[in-house]
Amino acid sequence: MSDVAAPAKRKNFILRFFAIREIGALIPLVVIFIAASFSNPAFASVTNILNILRASSYIFIIGVGMTFILCGRGLDLSVGSQVGMAGVVLGALMVWGHVPTWIAVVIALFVGAGAGALNGFFITVLRIPPFIATLATYYGFRGILDGVTKGTPITPLPAEFKILGLGSLFGVSYAIWFMVLLFALGTFVLRKTKFGRYVLAMGGNPQSTRLAGIHTDKLSFALYVIMGVLAAITGILYSSRFSSAQPTTGVGMEMKVIAACIIGGVSLFGGVGSIVGTLVGSIFLVVLDNGMIMAHISGYWQQAVVGLIIIIAVVIDLLRKGDLMKKE
């Protein structure tokens, strides 16, 4: 009996292994990493790996907020503009207003929370669909940036501010340490707390969640505020790293973040996703870009490759739901 059961157990294990959503991004990530390492030995160097992780951290920090929003059946297209706005507010306060660094950082975080609250208000109070509401604020926030700065970077920022983006602990960038901390916190909240379970329930079946007595509007509003704070943190780290507040910071970042989430197995239809998957998706995008450059392939091709990967990820998600080719 045991001889017959053993192959069946192995088969079930393999099926369960490949059913894990994160595997869809993890396997290509490993393949690309190995291929790039053979193509250019410098790719696998400690220095380059740390650079990859630091670049991934900016996508991942926002990706954590986007994971919660997508799991709750929402969407935020304005995160890139929020990143730029937080950085410009920070730079303007420190350079033009001579505000102490720590006060400017706190105000920038509140600005991010306010931007997220505005999105939440449009979506939960005015009942504007998330796509339309955040598309409007995407243009609105970016227009404010361009109007205030006239497209000119705010520089130089105070020397003591640079430590956030350029400093390190044990040779590892602060941005990476923050990514690790946020990974642990985000995973715990999504999987082990009522807040996380309510978000997944709301994304899976909003009507049943409301009937269960959960205030879905308050929950959605909170998600967009958290998203705004995380976008502001990314804007602060960006400004610190480059010692300037660039009005173009964050342009196109919303697409990278959404792509990282989808590639990592977060469902566009709500109710399914993980912080692990978003981390894998974030690293995947940076490794792909870095590997193509080191292989002397034009970085412009990355967009085409990522687009193809997103289509594949969405098709796989539809297959899992059984909605592909379904007729009304």
Side-chain angles (χ1 to χ4, degrees), residues 253-302:
M253 182 166 280
E254 55 283 330
M255 293 298 104
K256 287 185 178 180
V257 172
I258 294 172
C261 293
I262 295 172
I263 291 170
V266 180
S267 176
L268 281 172
F269 308 102
V272 178
S274 72
I275 304 300
V276 175
T278 300
L279 176 62
V280 172
S282 301
I283 296 174
F284 176 88
L285 290 178
V286 177
V287 167
L288 179 65
D289 189 28
N290 195 293
M292 291 177 71
I293 292 173
M294 285 196 163
H296 305 293
I297 300 173
S298 173
Y300 294 112
W301 284 105
Q302 183 204 15

Side-chain angles (χ1 to χ4, degrees), residues 9-10 19 33 40 120 139 143 197 214 217 255:
K9 288 183 178 179
R10 284 195 296 269
F33 188 90
N40 190 333
Y139 283 109
R197 289 194 291 270
I214 298 171
D217 285 343
M255 293 298 104

Side-chain angles (χ1 to χ4, degrees), residues 50-246:
L50 289 176
N51 286 335
I52 288 172
L53 290 176
R54 182 170 63 178
S56 302
S57 68
Y58 302 123
I59 300 174
F60 176 74
I61 290 170
I62 307 176
V64 170
M66 190 66 76
T67 299
F68 277 85
I69 285 178
L70 290 175
C71 284
R73 202 173 284 197
L75 182 67
D76 192 345
L77 297 176
S78 69
V79 290
S81 297
Q82 291 180 51
V83 169
M85 186 166 64
V88 165
V89 168
L90 180 75
L93 288 171
M94 291 191 293
V95 177
W96 298 343
H98 305 289
V99 174
T101 299
W102 71 271
I103 295 179
V105 169
V106 171
I107 293 175
L109 291 174
F110 274 103
V111 168
L118 183 61
N119 282 333
F121 173 79
F122 288 154
I123 294 166
T124 63
V125 178
L126 299 185
R127 301 298 178 185
I128 300 174
F131 178 87
I132 302 299
T134 59
L135 182 63
T137 53
Y138 162 84
Y139 283 109
F141 296 153
R142 188 61 64 183
I144 292 172
L145 290 179
D146 293 337
V148 170
T149 65
K150 302 297 189 292
T152 304
I154 302 174
T155 188
L157 301 184
E160 67 271 13
F161 178 63
K162 296 179 183 179
I163 191 172
L164 282 175
L166 299 177
S168 62
L169 180 64
F170 304 120
V172 178
S173 169
Y174 288 140
I176 298 176
W177 285 115
F178 186 78
M179 178 175 70
V180 172
L181 177 63
L182 190 59
F183 169 79
L185 180 62
T187 301
F188 175 77
V189 171
L190 186 61
R191 294 299 176 188
K192 300 296 182 180
T193 67
K194 285 185 178 180
F195 182 85
R197 289 194 291 270
Y198 289 168
V199 169
L200 293 171
M202 179 174 67
N205 194 324
Q207 185 175 0
S208 296
T209 306
R210 285 191 292 270
L211 292 175
I214 298 171
H215 203 305
T216 55
D217 285 343
K218 288 183 178 179
L219 192 59
S220 294
F221 186 87
L223 292 179
Y224 285 99
V225 172
I226 293 170
M227 181 77 264
V229 173
L230 292 176
I233 290 173
T234 305
I236 292 168
L237 290 173
Y238 257 123
S239 299
S240 178
R241 179 183 176 186
F242 297 106
S243 190
S244 68
Q246 302 276 352

